[in-house]
Amino acid sequence: MTSDGTVTTTNFIREIIDQHNDAGRFGGRVHTRFPPEPNGYLHIGHAKSICLNFGLAESYGGKCNLRFDDTNPTKEEQEYIDAIMRDVRWLGFDWEDRLFFASDYFDQLYQWAVQLIQMGKAYVDHLSADEMREYRGTLTTPGKDSPYRARSIEENLALFEQMRNGEFQEGECVLRAKIDMTSPNLNLRDPVLYRILHAHHPRTGDKWCIYPMYDFAHGQSDSIEGITHSICTLEFEDHRPLYDWLIDQLGIHHPQQIEFARLNINYTVMSKRRLVRLVTESHVRGWDDPRMPTLSGMRRRGYPPQAIRSFVEETSVTRQNSVNEIGLLEHHIRQYLNQHALRVMAVLNPLRVVIDNYPEGQVEELDAINNPEDESAGTRKVPFSRVLYIEQEDFMEDPPKKFYRLAPGREVRLRYGYFIKCVDVVKDAEGNVVELHCTFDPETRGGYAPDGRKVQGTLHWVSADHALEAEVRLYESLFSKPNPNDVEDGQDFTDFINSDSLQVLTGCRIEPSVATAEHGTRYQFERLGYFNIDLDSIPERLVFNRTVTLKDSWSKIQQKGG
RNA sequence: UGGGAGAUAGUUUAAUCGGCAGAACAGUGGACUUUGGAUCCAUCAGUCCAGGUUCGAGUCCUGGUCUCCCAGCCA
C-alpha cells in the first residue's frame, strides 16, 4: 500500500529493481526522477510517469527528484514550469528540496564536452543541417564521415571556445560526438552534442549561446543527481547505447535506464505538439479546458487526483504499446466520487410544476441525505413549496412501457419529498409542455407511503422560489474518432474534433445548499452525474462543469427501443 | 531491404522452474433499491500463425506473420 491507500501491483520494473537490490547494485539505493521539459502542460500520460517514479521511490524507501529538462530555450517558458509544479503537487507528490534543472548543470556539461574533445571523441562540424542529413545515410544505408571529422584536438578546442563566445551564427556549426557513422543505430552516427542558439534562457538568461542537446544533457543529469533507475518511455530505447557510451567515456556514475510504454487513451490526443495546436488554434479554451487530457484540464473538469492515480495504477506498467478505453478512466472517477461527493439536487432543463393542493406560501424544510455511501457526511435541509421544477426529461405525455417517470395520471415520488400525481398539462402555442399541475399526498412526506403503496419512479426537483440559477457546462469527448491520430493523406487530426464536445446550459436550477461552496467543490447532482464548481463561477452567477455522468441504464433501454 | 522493441477475451492486463489460462473495465441477464445511481449474483469471451521438444508449452526451440519506434542543430 502507498500513502494514498492504493494497492501497488508488481511490474517488470519492480522486478528489475528487486534483482538489483538482491545483487547489491547501487547499494540497495533507489533514486528516481521525473524529468519534464517545460514546453507545455502535463497530461495524463505524464501522470503515469509521475506515479511510477514517485511511487517507486516511496515504496523502496528512496527519493524522487523533479528535474526540468530545460535545454531548449526557444520552446520553454516559466509559465510551463509553474504549471508543471502545480500539477505534480496536485497529484499528491512531493519532491521536497530536490527541485533541479538541467540548466543547473550547463557548466559541468560544458566541461564534459571539452573533456570529450580532449579525448578525441568530439569535434566541431561545419556541415549544414541539410548536408548533415545527407551524410547521415538512411535506415538501410550507412552514413559517411564529415570532412570536418578529422580536425585536430587543438582546433576543435579553439572552435568550441569560439562557439561558446558567440563568434558563430546559429546553424554555422555544432559539436558532435565522434562515434560511428556506419552504426545501424542512427543515434550513434556522430550525434550532435551542442548547437548554437542565440536565445534568452528562462533561468540562465544570456549566459549561454550554445545549448546541449537533450541526448547530451539527460543521461549526465541523471548521473550528477545519483539517479539509480532512469525510467523513460520506449522511444528512448535506441538512445540508451548513446547515453551508456557518453557516461562510460566520461567515467561517471552510471544509472540504469529502463523503458516502459507510454499511456494512451482513446478519443483524445496526447502528444504535446497536438495539444499545443488545440490551444493556439483555439479549438479549446486553453490548457485547462475541461475537455483537455491535461492534468489542469482534468482538475478543472472535476477529476479527483486520487481517481487519476488509481486509474494509472490499474493500467499497469508494461512494454506493450496500447490504448486504454476512456471508460476505464471514467470508472475510476465515478468510483471515487461515489464514495466522496456530496449529493444535491439540480435541474438542468427545468419544467415548472405546480402542486395544486399544496398551501400557497407554505415552505417545508425536508431532510436529505448528503451521501448514502458515507454516513458521516450527515444530512441537510431542502426547501419544498407549492411551485417546483423537475427535469423536462422526467415527463412524457405519451410514455413508452418502461418509462418509470411522470406522465398524465401517473404518480411518482419526489426524492425526500412527497408522492405527486400529474393531473394537468399546460402547453404553449407550439404545443410544447410548459407547465404541469399535480396533486400531492400529504401522507407521503419524506417519500414513504403509510399504506405501503409503491411508485416506480423517484424524481429530483428543486423549489422554484428557493433554487439558485446556474450555468452548467456539459462535456463529451473532444474527438469523435477513437484514434484521432489515424488520418488519411490530406486530413488533419483537428478534422475529427467533436463539434458537440461542449454544450452550455443556462437557466439551470440548483438547491440553495451550494450557495457558498468554493471553486472546485465536487457534487453529485442526483440522477444526473458528478459536477464541480468551475473557476468562472461567482456567487451571482454559478457555473458548474459536468465531470462525468452517472451510469445510465435508462438510456440503454431507450436505445434498444424501449 | 538496416537496427531496436512488442504480440494473451472487445479493451487493459496476470500466470513462480515448463504444471488447472486468473482479473478489471466494457457487454449481456438477474436480484435489490427513496438516485433507472450504488451494491450483489450470474454470464459471454483469450494465448498471432505453422512446425518441433516434452508426460505436459502462453512460457523452451525453429520458421513465418502483424504492429510500434529510429534518418531534428526537438525532447
Side-chain angles (χ1 to χ4, degrees):
Chain A
M1 297 276 274
T2 55
S3 59
D4 67 331
T6 56
V7 177
T8 41
T9 50
T10 190
N11 57 53
F12 82 97
I13 294 181
R14 302 179 74 93
E15 284 168 9
I16 290 170
I17 293 175
D18 289 341
Q19 285 164 15
H20 288 164
N21 288 347
D22 289 346
R25 189 165 169 195
F26 305 119
R29 215 160 51 81
V30 174
H31 199 149
T32 56
R33 98 271 96 124
F34 172 60
E37 184 196 10
N39 67 342
Y41 278 57
L42 259 25
H43 54 65
I44 181 115
H46 294 110
K48 180 157 192 162
S49 176
I50 294 167
C51 291
L52 224 196
N53 279 294
F54 280 94
L56 247 19
E58 179 180 306
S59 66
Y60 282 96
K63 294 181 188 323
C64 180
N65 300 353
L66 174 63
R67 183 184 67 243
F68 287 94
D69 272 333
D70 54 348
T71 56
N72 185 353
T74 66
K75 292 187 177 173
E76 296 152 5
E77 295 173 20
Q78 185 64 38
E79 179 200 346
Y80 297 134
I81 293 175
D82 297 338
I84 288 167
M85 291 197 286
R86 194 184 313 132
D87 289 344
V88 175
R89 282 198 198 94
W90 177 69
L91 270 186
F93 296 104
D94 183 6
W95 55 87
E96 300 172 323
D97 58 348
R98 297 178 308 282
L99 170 63
F100 303 117
F101 295 82
S103 56
D104 294 342
Y105 312 135
F106 281 175
D107 285 299
Q108 174 65 263
L109 259 11
Y110 180 81
Q111 290 307 316
W112 278 333
V114 170
Q115 187 181 330
L116 283 180
I117 295 171
Q118 287 167 336
M119 293 165 67
K121 300 289 188 179
Y123 62 99
V124 172
D125 196 348
H126 277 74
L127 246 29
S128 71
D130 286 342
E131 290 168 329
M132 200 180 288
R133 192 176 308 120
E134 281 173 35
Y135 275 78
R136 188 156 34 228
T138 70
L139 294 176
T140 52
T141 58
K144 56 186 181 195
D145 289 357
S146 164
Y148 303 99
R149 196 177 202 256
R151 289 214 253 235
S152 71
I153 289 172
E154 290 68 30
E155 193 183 359
N156 280 316
L157 249 16
L159 253 16
F160 189 49
E161 178 77 24
Q162 285 177 274
M163 279 174 63
R164 194 255 271 258
N165 291 339
E167 295 174 30
F168 296 109
Q169 301 294 308
E170 286 186 15
E172 239 184 288
C173 54
V174 295
L175 183 73
R176 299 178 74 178
K178 191 187 289 187
I179 308 180
D180 179 6
M181 288 306 292
T182 67
S183 172
N185 182 343
L186 268 43
N187 296 117
L188 265 20
R189 315 240 267 227
D190 288 11
V192 173
L193 267 22
Y194 265 92
R195 79 295 215 181
I196 297 168
L197 253 26
H198 292 284
H200 185 85
H201 188 283
R203 295 187 60 82
T204 60
D206 297 316
K207 179 178 178 184
W208 300 90
C209 63
I210 57 171
Y211 291 93
M213 296 291 290
Y214 173 86
D215 279 348
F216 190 67
H218 190 80
Q220 287 98 301
S221 297
D222 283 346
S223 181
I224 290 168
E225 293 176 17
I227 300 303
T228 55
H229 303 272
S230 301
I231 294 162
C232 63
T233 44
L234 252 27
E235 69 269 27
F236 292 106
E237 185 158 26
D238 288 344
H239 296 241
R240 178 157 31 99
L242 171 57
Y243 305 156
D244 288 347
W245 184 89
L246 253 8
I247 279 169
D248 289 343
Q249 293 297 326
L250 265 11
I252 56 180
H253 165 70
H254 196 148
Q256 175 65 55
Q257 175 169 304
I258 305 170
E259 309 86 13
F260 72 100
R262 53 168 81 239
L263 174 72
N264 294 296
I265 297 180
N266 62 12
Y267 291 101
T268 190
V269 293
M270 213 75 96
S271 88
K272 270 199 224 170
R273 214 194 88 246
R274 294 192 176 87
L275 295 177
V276 169
R277 279 193 56 200
L278 290 174
V279 173
T280 56
E281 296 173 14
S282 299
H283 297 291
V284 295
R285 294 180 175 186
W287 284 101
D288 70 345
D289 188 298
R291 294 166 292 180
M292 290 281 274
T294 53
L295 294 179
S296 55
M298 291 182 170
R299 174 169 58 236
R300 186 161 181 178
R301 173 86 170 248
Y303 286 11
Q306 297 90 336
I308 292 174
R309 286 175 67 163
S310 67
F311 163 73
V312 161
E313 190 65 44
E314 195 183 340
T315 59
S316 92
V317 185
T318 70
R319 291 174 62 85
Q320 294 179 48
N321 289 311
S322 61
V323 182
N324 287 273
E325 290 177 347
I326 184 67
L328 184 63
L329 207 209
E330 291 181 342
H331 163 76
H332 284 269
I333 304 299
R334 288 191 185 102
Q335 182 173 265
Y336 181 88
L337 258 14
N338 179 47
Q339 297 298 321
H340 297 91
L342 298 181
R343 272 61 168 174
V344 295
M345 291 196 286
V347 175
L348 265 28
N349 297 294
L351 173 60
R352 189 178 150 93
V353 173
V354 180
I355 312 291
D356 291 336
N357 60 337
Y358 194 87
E360 264 195 85
Q362 179 173 314
V363 179
E364 289 179 87
E365 295 288 329
L366 302 172
D367 290 310
I369 294 167
N370 287 329
N371 185 350
E373 306 294 325
D374 177 11
E375 205 179 326
S376 70
T379 61
R380 69 187 184 288
K381 301 286 188 186
V382 289
F384 186 94
S385 65
R386 184 177 146 90
V387 181
L388 313 170
Y389 290 113
I390 65 165
E391 207 69 60
Q392 285 173 21
E393 281 188 354
D394 284 340
F395 173 79
M396 280 185 93
E397 200 170 12
D398 185 20
K401 283 173 289 297
K402 291 188 173 174
F403 187 80
Y404 295 163
R405 289 113 98 145
L406 200 58
R410 243 207 243 165
E411 186 173 50
V412 298
R413 173 191 296 111
L414 293 180
R415 177 144 235 229
Y416 303 124
Y418 293 94
F419 285 11
I420 60 168
K421 185 180 285 187
C422 178
V423 294
D424 195 18
V425 180
V426 181
K427 297 181 184 177
D428 64 13
E430 284 88 49
N432 300 311
V433 176
V434 293
E435 184 178 285
L436 263 26
H437 284 267
C438 297
T439 56
F440 84 114
D441 178 353
E443 299 298 309
T444 58
R445 184 183 154 118
Y448 295 94
D451 63 4
R453 75 180 190 278
K454 303 282 188 200
V455 289
Q456 285 208 96
T458 300
L459 309 187
H460 60 276
W461 52 275
V462 295
S463 168
D465 284 346
H466 304 86
L468 307 171
E469 206 167 317
E471 172 182 321
V472 176
R473 300 172 182 170
L474 307 181
Y475 303 102
E476 287 178 14
S477 64
L478 227 201
F479 293 90
S480 54
K481 186 176 172 174
N483 180 7
N485 300 318
D486 174 27
V487 297
E488 308 276 316
D489 279 350
Q491 287 182 324
D492 187 69
F493 76 102
T494 56
D495 295 343
F496 305 112
I497 288 178
N498 175 10
S499 54
D500 295 325
S501 62
L502 170 63
Q503 189 188 348
V504 179
L505 264 29
T506 55
C508 307
R509 308 300 165 106
I510 180 165
E511 65 169 70
S513 68
V514 305
T516 58
E518 296 175 359
H519 287 156
T521 307
R522 293 183 275 255
Y523 293 102
Q524 184 194 107
F525 289 0
E526 295 223 22
R527 302 209 306 135
L528 296 175
Y530 297 97
F531 296 73
N532 79 333
I533 301 186
D534 188 76
L535 262 25
D536 291 341
S537 191
I538 54 175
E540 300 72 36
R541 185 173 156 282
L542 296 173
V543 180
F544 287 85
N545 298 303
R546 184 172 68 194
T547 306
V548 65
T549 61
L550 250 22
K551 285 212 283 186
D552 181 4
S553 51
W554 166 240
S555 68
K556 281 180 194 167
I557 294 168
Q558 257 183 325
Q559 278 162 22
K560 282 191 288 190

